Amino acid sequence: YEDIDDLLGYAARVAGTVGAMMALLMGRREPEVVARACDLGMAMQLTNIARDVGEDARNGRLYLPRAWLRAEGVDPNDWLRNPQFTPEIARITNRLLAVADDLYARADAGIARLPPDCRPGITAARLLYAEIGREVERRGWDSVSSRAVVSGGRKLGLLFSAMNAIARTPEWREAHMIEASRFLIDAAVAPPLNTAPLVPMAWWDVRGRLLFVLDLFERLERRERNPKDQAGRIARRREPATA
């Protein structure tokens, strides 16, 4: 991807879609709420990219904006052939996480507009993913030599913080819609094809909702990180239709 706008376009398609879909499942179709849901999905995807710089490069994948690399005096193709951690890569990773942090901050107001019993699960996912970025930061933004992992104890603390979210209602902050996700917002606010109401999880089952959301994100990440599964899906899409 040449620049950050291109990368946000990718993030909107692979992760902003999840945010928009979940906003609809939670009964919110307002453009500003769906936009913040897309922001959260894109923030998580940028965090994934910042965490996996070295692993991706060793598998022949480069998601860091090429323009950012060239601005730091790094030739993208040369670096991809021999990925090494350098101060230049640290600055680029830091820059990417700064974009993600801005998206997380934008998303907070949208989470506050979700039904109260939905907030803890989404807040947990938001806090856990943002903490990955903090772990990368604590490692000096070196995600080439090793992969940042959030400890079990830290995860538990963040889950307790998420549970408290049900009692908080942050002030709504206006923010412009990011162009990369506009097509998702337009689709989400269109009249639904199926108007049958969804049967929601019991309102008092906050723990069940939280675990459901965390499990969903875990499964999405496992699917993303399973090359064999990805290759199988691509192969199936390429197979000719049969009668």
Side-chain angles (χ1 to χ4, degrees):
Y1 299 95
E2 177 60 22
D3 54 32
I4 188 61
D5 289 335
D6 289 345
L7 186 58
L8 286 174
Y10 164 76
R13 284 159 176 78
V14 300
T17 47
V18 179
M21 178 178 63
M22 294 191 70
L24 296 183
L25 288 173
M26 294 176 188
R28 304 310 300 260
R29 308 186 73 91
E30 301 92 329
E32 62 274 15
V33 176
V34 176
R36 301 301 176 83
C38 293
D39 290 343
L40 180 57
M42 291 188 288
M44 290 176 168
Q45 186 61 32
L46 295 186
T47 299
N48 280 341
I49 291 169
R51 176 193 60 191
D52 296 336
V53 171
E55 184 173 333
D56 284 335
R58 287 185 286 273
N59 284 284
R61 298 190 295 265
L62 177 64
Y63 294 100
L64 298 177
R66 288 173 173 261
W68 290 9
L69 287 160
R70 289 194 295 270
E72 289 285 352
V74 178
D75 181 275
N77 295 324
D78 288 347
W79 185 82
L80 191 57
R81 281 190 287 269
N82 183 29
Q84 300 290 329
F85 177 69
T86 64
E88 292 79 13
I89 296 299
R91 286 192 291 270
I92 293 170
T93 303
N94 180 20
R95 188 177 176 184
L96 186 63
L97 286 172
V99 176
D101 286 341
D102 180 62
L103 290 169
Y104 284 124
R106 290 165 56 96
D108 286 339
I111 295 174
R113 296 278 290 270
L114 295 175
D117 53 344
C118 296
R119 292 176 203 161
I122 299 301
T123 301
R126 177 254 192 266
L127 293 175
L128 287 170
Y129 264 78
E131 185 63 19
I132 294 171
R134 303 288 69 78
E135 183 62 31
V136 173
E137 181 179 356
R138 284 190 283 270
R139 296 173 183 227
W141 297 285
D142 181 3
S143 54
V144 178
S145 306
S146 62
R147 188 169 185 264
V149 176
V150 179
S151 69
R154 183 59 182 148
K155 286 181 179 179
L156 185 61
L158 293 170
L159 290 177
F160 278 116
S161 298
M163 291 298 292
N164 291 330
I166 197 169
R168 297 196 304 267
T169 305
E171 182 180 352
W172 175 260
R173 290 173 48 195
E174 293 293 338
H176 70 280
M177 294 183 186
I178 293 178
E179 195 60 35
S181 60
R182 186 172 296 276
F183 76 102
L184 288 170
I185 300 162
D186 291 343
V189 302
L193 296 178
N194 180 6
T195 58
L198 293 172
V199 179
M201 189 178 295
W203 66 266
W204 62 82
D205 189 9
V206 176
R207 180 177 180 275
R209 287 178 180 271
L210 188 151
L211 292 177
F212 166 78
V213 173
L214 292 181
D215 179 66
L216 174 61
F217 279 102
E218 287 282 347
R219 286 187 282 118
L220 287 171
E221 183 177 359
R222 284 198 300 270
R223 182 188 302 174
E224 178 187 346
R225 302 189 61 76
N226 188 333
K228 291 182 179 179
D229 187 40
Q230 287 183 352
R233 288 199 305 278
I234 293 171
R236 287 193 293 274
R237 285 200 298 268
R238 291 176 177 172
E239 289 176 357
T242 56

PDB file of all heavy atoms in Angstrom, residues 181-209:
ATOM      1  N   SER A 181     -14.224   4.336   4.864  1.00  0.00           N
ATOM      2  CA  SER A 181     -15.329   3.510   5.354  1.00  0.00           C
ATOM      3  C   SER A 181     -16.699   4.034   4.936  1.00  0.00           C
ATOM      4  O   SER A 181     -17.720   3.482   5.349  1.00  0.00           O
ATOM      5  CB  SER A 181     -15.271   3.399   6.879  1.00  0.00           C
ATOM      6  OG  SER A 181     -15.371   4.677   7.479  1.00  0.00           O
ATOM      7  N   ARG A 182     -16.748   5.062   4.113  1.00  0.00           N
ATOM      8  CA  ARG A 182     -18.031   5.664   3.761  1.00  0.00           C
ATOM      9  C   ARG A 182     -18.954   4.668   3.065  1.00  0.00           C
ATOM     10  O   ARG A 182     -20.163   4.662   3.284  1.00  0.00           O
ATOM     11  CB  ARG A 182     -17.812   6.894   2.879  1.00  0.00           C
ATOM     12  CG  ARG A 182     -19.104   7.669   2.592  1.00  0.00           C
ATOM     13  CD  ARG A 182     -18.808   8.960   1.884  1.00  0.00           C
ATOM     14  NE  ARG A 182     -18.034   9.866   2.703  1.00  0.00           N
ATOM     15  CZ  ARG A 182     -18.562  10.678   3.614  1.00  0.00           C
ATOM     16  NH1 ARG A 182     -19.875  10.666   3.831  1.00  0.00           N
ATOM     17  NH2 ARG A 182     -17.806  11.487   4.313  1.00  0.00           N
ATOM     18  N   PHE A 183     -18.393   3.800   2.213  1.00  0.00           N
ATOM     19  CA  PHE A 183     -19.242   2.841   1.500  1.00  0.00           C
ATOM     20  C   PHE A 183     -19.917   1.874   2.474  1.00  0.00           C
ATOM     21  O   PHE A 183     -21.049   1.437   2.240  1.00  0.00           O
ATOM     22  CB  PHE A 183     -18.421   2.071   0.459  1.00  0.00           C
ATOM     23  CG  PHE A 183     -17.521   1.005   1.013  1.00  0.00           C
ATOM     24  CD1 PHE A 183     -17.879  -0.330   0.956  1.00  0.00           C
ATOM     25  CD2 PHE A 183     -16.310   1.345   1.598  1.00  0.00           C
ATOM     26  CE1 PHE A 183     -17.043  -1.322   1.466  1.00  0.00           C
ATOM     27  CE2 PHE A 183     -15.477   0.371   2.114  1.00  0.00           C
ATOM     28  CZ  PHE A 183     -15.844  -0.961   2.052  1.00  0.00           C
ATOM     29  N   LEU A 184     -19.236   1.552   3.571  1.00  0.00           N
ATOM     30  CA  LEU A 184     -19.831   0.676   4.578  1.00  0.00           C
ATOM     31  C   LEU A 184     -20.958   1.388   5.318  1.00  0.00           C
ATOM     32  O   LEU A 184     -22.007   0.795   5.595  1.00  0.00           O
ATOM     33  CB  LEU A 184     -18.763   0.241   5.587  1.00  0.00           C
ATOM     34  CG  LEU A 184     -17.724  -0.759   5.088  1.00  0.00           C
ATOM     35  CD1 LEU A 184     -16.601  -0.903   6.109  1.00  0.00           C
ATOM     36  CD2 LEU A 184     -18.366  -2.104   4.833  1.00  0.00           C
ATOM     37  N   ILE A 185     -20.729   2.644   5.629  1.00  0.00           N
ATOM     38  CA  ILE A 185     -21.746   3.416   6.345  1.00  0.00           C
ATOM     39  C   ILE A 185     -22.997   3.561   5.480  1.00  0.00           C
ATOM     40  O   ILE A 185     -24.119   3.369   5.947  1.00  0.00           O
ATOM     41  CB  ILE A 185     -21.177   4.791   6.736  1.00  0.00           C
ATOM     42  CG1 ILE A 185     -19.953   4.614   7.640  1.00  0.00           C
ATOM     43  CG2 ILE A 185     -22.243   5.646   7.426  1.00  0.00           C
ATOM     44  CD1 ILE A 185     -19.072   5.827   7.739  1.00  0.00           C
ATOM     45  N   ASP A 186     -22.806   3.870   4.203  1.00  0.00           N
ATOM     46  CA  ASP A 186     -23.944   4.008   3.287  1.00  0.00           C
ATOM     47  C   ASP A 186     -24.739   2.709   3.203  1.00  0.00           C
ATOM     48  O   ASP A 186     -25.972   2.716   3.178  1.00  0.00           O
ATOM     49  CB  ASP A 186     -23.457   4.415   1.896  1.00  0.00           C
ATOM     50  CG  ASP A 186     -22.904   5.835   1.867  1.00  0.00           C
ATOM     51  OD1 ASP A 186     -23.186   6.601   2.810  1.00  0.00           O
ATOM     52  OD2 ASP A 186     -22.174   6.168   0.912  1.00  0.00           O
ATOM     53  N   ALA A 187     -24.022   1.591   3.152  1.00  0.00           N
ATOM     54  CA  ALA A 187     -24.712   0.295   3.057  1.00  0.00           C
ATOM     55  C   ALA A 187     -25.435  -0.042   4.356  1.00  0.00           C
ATOM     56  O   ALA A 187     -26.548  -0.578   4.338  1.00  0.00           O
ATOM     57  CB  ALA A 187     -23.706  -0.801   2.714  1.00  0.00           C
ATOM     58  N   ALA A 188     -24.814   0.305   5.473  1.00  0.00           N
ATOM     59  CA  ALA A 188     -25.388  -0.074   6.772  1.00  0.00           C
ATOM     60  C   ALA A 188     -26.661   0.702   7.082  1.00  0.00           C
ATOM     61  O   ALA A 188     -27.568   0.175   7.735  1.00  0.00           O
ATOM     62  CB  ALA A 188     -24.361   0.144   7.876  1.00  0.00           C
ATOM     63  N   VAL A 189     -26.740   1.941   6.646  1.00  0.00           N
ATOM     64  CA  VAL A 189     -27.912   2.760   6.982  1.00  0.00           C
ATOM     65  C   VAL A 189     -29.031   2.607   5.965  1.00  0.00           C
ATOM     66  O   VAL A 189     -30.112   3.159   6.158  1.00  0.00           O
ATOM     67  CB  VAL A 189     -27.527   4.250   7.118  1.00  0.00           C
ATOM     68  CG1 VAL A 189     -26.459   4.426   8.179  1.00  0.00           C
ATOM     69  CG2 VAL A 189     -27.069   4.828   5.791  1.00  0.00           C
ATOM     70  N   ALA A 190     -28.791   1.853   4.884  1.00  0.00           N
ATOM     71  CA  ALA A 190     -29.846   1.616   3.909  1.00  0.00           C
ATOM     72  C   ALA A 190     -30.938   0.765   4.540  1.00  0.00           C
ATOM     73  O   ALA A 190     -30.691   0.008   5.483  1.00  0.00           O
ATOM     74  CB  ALA A 190     -29.268   0.914   2.681  1.00  0.00           C
ATOM     75  N   PRO A 191     -32.188   0.877   4.040  1.00  0.00           N
ATOM     76  CA  PRO A 191     -33.271   0.054   4.606  1.00  0.00           C
ATOM     77  C   PRO A 191     -32.913  -1.423   4.546  1.00  0.00           C
ATOM     78  O   PRO A 191     -32.434  -1.913   3.512  1.00  0.00           O
ATOM     79  CB  PRO A 191     -34.464   0.376   3.697  1.00  0.00           C
ATOM     80  CG  PRO A 191     -34.148   1.706   3.115  1.00  0.00           C
ATOM     81  CD  PRO A 191     -32.655   1.745   2.962  1.00  0.00           C
ATOM     82  N   PRO A 192     -33.105  -2.165   5.623  1.00  0.00           N
ATOM     83  CA  PRO A 192     -32.751  -3.592   5.636  1.00  0.00           C
ATOM     84  C   PRO A 192     -33.644  -4.388   4.710  1.00  0.00           C
ATOM     85  O   PRO A 192     -34.833  -4.101   4.563  1.00  0.00           O
ATOM     86  CB  PRO A 192     -32.948  -3.996   7.099  1.00  0.00           C
ATOM     87  CG  PRO A 192     -33.936  -3.014   7.635  1.00  0.00           C
ATOM     88  CD  PRO A 192     -33.662  -1.720   6.907  1.00  0.00           C
ATOM     89  N   LEU A 193     -33.063  -5.414   4.070  1.00  0.00           N
ATOM     90  CA  LEU A 193     -33.839  -6.285   3.197  1.00  0.00           C
ATOM     91  C   LEU A 193     -34.752  -7.179   4.008  1.00  0.00           C
ATOM     92  O   LEU A 193     -35.853  -7.521   3.593  1.00  0.00           O
ATOM     93  CB  LEU A 193     -32.888  -7.130   2.334  1.00  0.00           C
ATOM     94  CG  LEU A 193     -32.007  -6.351   1.364  1.00  0.00           C
ATOM     95  CD1 LEU A 193     -31.075  -7.309   0.620  1.00  0.00           C
ATOM     96  CD2 LEU A 193     -32.853  -5.578   0.364  1.00  0.00           C
ATOM     97  N   ASN A 194     -34.279  -7.587   5.182  1.00  0.00           N
ATOM     98  CA  ASN A 194     -35.071  -8.462   6.046  1.00  0.00           C
ATOM     99  C   ASN A 194     -35.433  -7.684   7.299  1.00  0.00           C
ATOM    100  O   ASN A 194     -34.563  -7.317   8.086  1.00  0.00           O
ATOM    101  CB  ASN A 194     -34.251  -9.716   6.409  1.00  0.00           C
ATOM    102  CG  ASN A 194     -35.031 -10.657   7.320  1.00  0.00           C
ATOM    103  OD1 ASN A 194     -36.208 -10.426   7.596  1.00  0.00           O
ATOM    104  ND2 ASN A 194     -34.372 -11.693   7.785  1.00  0.00           N
ATOM    105  N   THR A 195     -36.689  -7.391   7.478  1.00  0.00           N
ATOM    106  CA  THR A 195     -37.107  -6.565   8.613  1.00  0.00           C
ATOM    107  C   THR A 195     -37.505  -7.389   9.822  1.00  0.00           C
ATOM    108  O   THR A 195     -38.009  -6.854  10.795  1.00  0.00           O
ATOM    109  CB  THR A 195     -38.288  -5.674   8.206  1.00  0.00           C
ATOM    110  OG1 THR A 195     -39.360  -6.509   7.743  1.00  0.00           O
ATOM    111  CG2 THR A 195     -37.890  -4.708   7.113  1.00  0.00           C
ATOM    112  N   ALA A 196     -37.318  -8.722   9.772  1.00  0.00           N
ATOM    113  CA  ALA A 196     -37.675  -9.561  10.919  1.00  0.00           C
ATOM    114  C   ALA A 196     -36.768  -9.211  12.090  1.00  0.00           C
ATOM    115  O   ALA A 196     -35.550  -9.084  11.933  1.00  0.00           O
ATOM    116  CB  ALA A 196     -37.528 -11.036  10.564  1.00  0.00           C
ATOM    117  N   PRO A 197     -37.303  -9.011  13.284  1.00  0.00           N
ATOM    118  CA  PRO A 197     -36.468  -8.638  14.425  1.00  0.00           C
ATOM    119  C   PRO A 197     -35.558  -9.774  14.849  1.00  0.00           C
ATOM    120  O   PRO A 197     -35.911 -10.943  14.759  1.00  0.00           O
ATOM    121  CB  PRO A 197     -37.505  -8.325  15.517  1.00  0.00           C
ATOM    122  CG  PRO A 197     -38.706  -9.137  15.132  1.00  0.00           C
ATOM    123  CD  PRO A 197     -38.723  -9.164  13.631  1.00  0.00           C
ATOM    124  N   LEU A 198     -34.365  -9.389  15.309  1.00  0.00           N
ATOM    125  CA  LEU A 198     -33.435 -10.374  15.837  1.00  0.00           C
ATOM    126  C   LEU A 198     -33.843 -10.748  17.250  1.00  0.00           C
ATOM    127  O   LEU A 198     -34.416  -9.952  17.989  1.00  0.00           O
ATOM    128  CB  LEU A 198     -32.014  -9.787  15.861  1.00  0.00           C
ATOM    129  CG  LEU A 198     -31.381  -9.502  14.500  1.00  0.00           C
ATOM    130  CD1 LEU A 198     -30.078  -8.753  14.703  1.00  0.00           C
ATOM    131  CD2 LEU A 198     -31.136 -10.787  13.740  1.00  0.00           C
ATOM    132  N   VAL A 199     -33.565 -11.974  17.641  1.00  0.00           N
ATOM    133  CA  VAL A 199     -33.820 -12.408  19.012  1.00  0.00           C
ATOM    134  C   VAL A 199     -32.550 -12.155  19.811  1.00  0.00           C
ATOM    135  O   VAL A 199     -31.538 -12.827  19.607  1.00  0.00           O
ATOM    136  CB  VAL A 199     -34.200 -13.897  19.071  1.00  0.00           C
ATOM    137  CG1 VAL A 199     -34.431 -14.324  20.514  1.00  0.00           C
ATOM    138  CG2 VAL A 199     -35.441 -14.156  18.219  1.00  0.00           C
ATOM    139  N   PRO A 200     -32.529 -11.142  20.684  1.00  0.00           N
ATOM    140  CA  PRO A 200     -31.292 -10.784  21.377  1.00  0.00           C
ATOM    141  C   PRO A 200     -30.974 -11.748  22.508  1.00  0.00           C
ATOM    142  O   PRO A 200     -31.841 -12.467  23.001  1.00  0.00           O
ATOM    143  CB  PRO A 200     -31.602  -9.386  21.926  1.00  0.00           C
ATOM    144  CG  PRO A 200     -33.086  -9.422  22.153  1.00  0.00           C
ATOM    145  CD  PRO A 200     -33.663 -10.302  21.060  1.00  0.00           C
ATOM    146  N   MET A 201     -29.694 -11.727  22.911  1.00  0.00           N
ATOM    147  CA  MET A 201     -29.292 -12.462  24.107  1.00  0.00           C
ATOM    148  C   MET A 201     -29.945 -11.802  25.311  1.00  0.00           C
ATOM    149  O   MET A 201     -30.229 -10.610  25.316  1.00  0.00           O
ATOM    150  CB  MET A 201     -27.762 -12.435  24.218  1.00  0.00           C
ATOM    151  CG  MET A 201     -27.188 -13.338  25.293  1.00  0.00           C
ATOM    152  SD  MET A 201     -25.366 -13.272  25.296  1.00  0.00           S
ATOM    153  CE  MET A 201     -25.006 -13.988  23.695  1.00  0.00           C
ATOM    154  N   ALA A 202     -30.214 -12.567  26.340  1.00  0.00           N
ATOM    155  CA  ALA A 202     -30.872 -12.034  27.536  1.00  0.00           C
ATOM    156  C   ALA A 202     -30.146 -10.785  28.025  1.00  0.00           C
ATOM    157  O   ALA A 202     -28.920 -10.749  28.106  1.00  0.00           O
ATOM    158  CB  ALA A 202     -30.897 -13.092  28.627  1.00  0.00           C
ATOM    159  N   TRP A 203     -30.910  -9.745  28.350  1.00  0.00           N
ATOM    160  CA  TRP A 203     -30.304  -8.463  28.709  1.00  0.00           C
ATOM    161  C   TRP A 203     -29.423  -8.549  29.943  1.00  0.00           C
ATOM    162  O   TRP A 203     -28.472  -7.798  30.102  1.00  0.00           O
ATOM    163  CB  TRP A 203     -31.398  -7.411  28.915  1.00  0.00           C
ATOM    164  CG  TRP A 203     -32.299  -7.668  30.093  1.00  0.00           C
ATOM    165  CD1 TRP A 203     -33.491  -8.309  30.097  1.00  0.00           C
ATOM    166  CD2 TRP A 203     -32.064  -7.278  31.452  1.00  0.00           C
ATOM    167  NE1 TRP A 203     -34.022  -8.353  31.349  1.00  0.00           N
ATOM    168  CE2 TRP A 203     -33.174  -7.725  32.213  1.00  0.00           C
ATOM    169  CE3 TRP A 203     -31.045  -6.593  32.113  1.00  0.00           C
ATOM    170  CZ2 TRP A 203     -33.278  -7.511  33.574  1.00  0.00           C
ATOM    171  CZ3 TRP A 203     -31.141  -6.376  33.476  1.00  0.00           C
ATOM    172  CH2 TRP A 203     -32.251  -6.825  34.194  1.00  0.00           C
ATOM    173  N   TRP A 204     -29.743  -9.497  30.842  1.00  0.00           N
ATOM    174  CA  TRP A 204     -28.963  -9.576  32.079  1.00  0.00           C
ATOM    175  C   TRP A 204     -27.666 -10.384  31.908  1.00  0.00           C
ATOM    176  O   TRP A 204     -26.842 -10.395  32.794  1.00  0.00           O
ATOM    177  CB  TRP A 204     -29.813 -10.216  33.177  1.00  0.00           C
ATOM    178  CG  TRP A 204     -30.235 -11.631  32.844  1.00  0.00           C
ATOM    179  CD1 TRP A 204     -29.514 -12.778  32.997  1.00  0.00           C
ATOM    180  CD2 TRP A 204     -31.479 -12.017  32.256  1.00  0.00           C
ATOM    181  NE1 TRP A 204     -30.213 -13.861  32.555  1.00  0.00           N
ATOM    182  CE2 TRP A 204     -31.444 -13.424  32.093  1.00  0.00           C
ATOM    183  CE3 TRP A 204     -32.629 -11.321  31.856  1.00  0.00           C
ATOM    184  CZ2 TRP A 204     -32.515 -14.140  31.539  1.00  0.00           C
ATOM    185  CZ3 TRP A 204     -33.678 -12.039  31.311  1.00  0.00           C
ATOM    186  CH2 TRP A 204     -33.613 -13.425  31.166  1.00  0.00           C
ATOM    187  N   ASP A 205     -27.506 -11.050  30.750  1.00  0.00           N
ATOM    188  CA  ASP A 205     -26.343 -11.915  30.558  1.00  0.00           C
ATOM    189  C   ASP A 205     -25.167 -11.097  30.022  1.00  0.00           C
ATOM    190  O   ASP A 205     -24.709 -11.294  28.907  1.00  0.00           O
ATOM    191  CB  ASP A 205     -26.695 -13.057  29.601  1.00  0.00           C
ATOM    192  CG  ASP A 205     -25.588 -14.113  29.546  1.00  0.00           C
ATOM    193  OD1 ASP A 205     -24.659 -14.040  30.368  1.00  0.00           O
ATOM    194  OD2 ASP A 205     -25.662 -14.985  28.662  1.00  0.00           O
ATOM    195  N   VAL A 206     -24.678 -10.155  30.820  1.00  0.00           N
ATOM    196  CA  VAL A 206     -23.572  -9.304  30.388  1.00  0.00           C
ATOM    197  C   VAL A 206     -22.309 -10.136  30.167  1.00  0.00           C
ATOM    198  O   VAL A 206     -21.588  -9.960  29.182  1.00  0.00           O
ATOM    199  CB  VAL A 206     -23.304  -8.200  31.437  1.00  0.00           C
ATOM    200  CG1 VAL A 206     -22.086  -7.368  31.048  1.00  0.00           C
ATOM    201  CG2 VAL A 206     -24.539  -7.311  31.576  1.00  0.00           C
ATOM    202  N   ARG A 207     -22.061 -11.076  31.077  1.00  0.00           N
ATOM    203  CA  ARG A 207     -20.870 -11.918  30.926  1.00  0.00           C
ATOM    204  C   ARG A 207     -20.950 -12.731  29.645  1.00  0.00           C
ATOM    205  O   ARG A 207     -19.948 -12.878  28.928  1.00  0.00           O
ATOM    206  CB  ARG A 207     -20.738 -12.855  32.137  1.00  0.00           C
ATOM    207  CG  ARG A 207     -19.526 -13.769  32.085  1.00  0.00           C
ATOM    208  CD  ARG A 207     -19.429 -14.615  33.349  1.00  0.00           C
ATOM    209  NE  ARG A 207     -18.281 -15.485  33.307  1.00  0.00           N
ATOM    210  CZ  ARG A 207     -18.263 -16.689  32.716  1.00  0.00           C
ATOM    211  NH1 ARG A 207     -19.375 -17.132  32.129  1.00  0.00           N
ATOM    212  NH2 ARG A 207     -17.176 -17.426  32.720  1.00  0.00           N
ATOM    213  N   GLY A 208     -22.131 -13.256  29.323  1.00  0.00           N
ATOM    214  CA  GLY A 208     -22.286 -14.024  28.094  1.00  0.00           C
ATOM    215  C   GLY A 208     -22.006 -13.191  26.862  1.00  0.00           C
ATOM    216  O   GLY A 208     -21.354 -13.646  25.919  1.00  0.00           O
ATOM    217  N   ARG A 209     -22.474 -11.937  26.850  1.00  0.00           N
ATOM    218  CA  ARG A 209     -22.221 -11.054  25.711  1.00  0.00           C
ATOM    219  C   ARG A 209     -20.730 -10.753  25.583  1.00  0.00           C
ATOM    220  O   ARG A 209     -20.182 -10.750  24.485  1.00  0.00           O
ATOM    221  CB  ARG A 209     -23.007  -9.749  25.885  1.00  0.00           C
ATOM    222  CG  ARG A 209     -24.512  -9.886  25.665  1.00  0.00           C
ATOM    223  CD  ARG A 209     -25.202  -8.548  25.898  1.00  0.00           C
ATOM    224  NE  ARG A 209     -26.626  -8.641  25.692  1.00  0.00           N
ATOM    225  CZ  ARG A 209     -27.231  -8.452  24.529  1.00  0.00           C
ATOM    226  NH1 ARG A 209     -26.511  -8.182  23.465  1.00  0.00           N
ATOM    227  NH2 ARG A 209     -28.553  -8.538  24.420  1.00  0.00           N
TER     228      ARG A 209
END
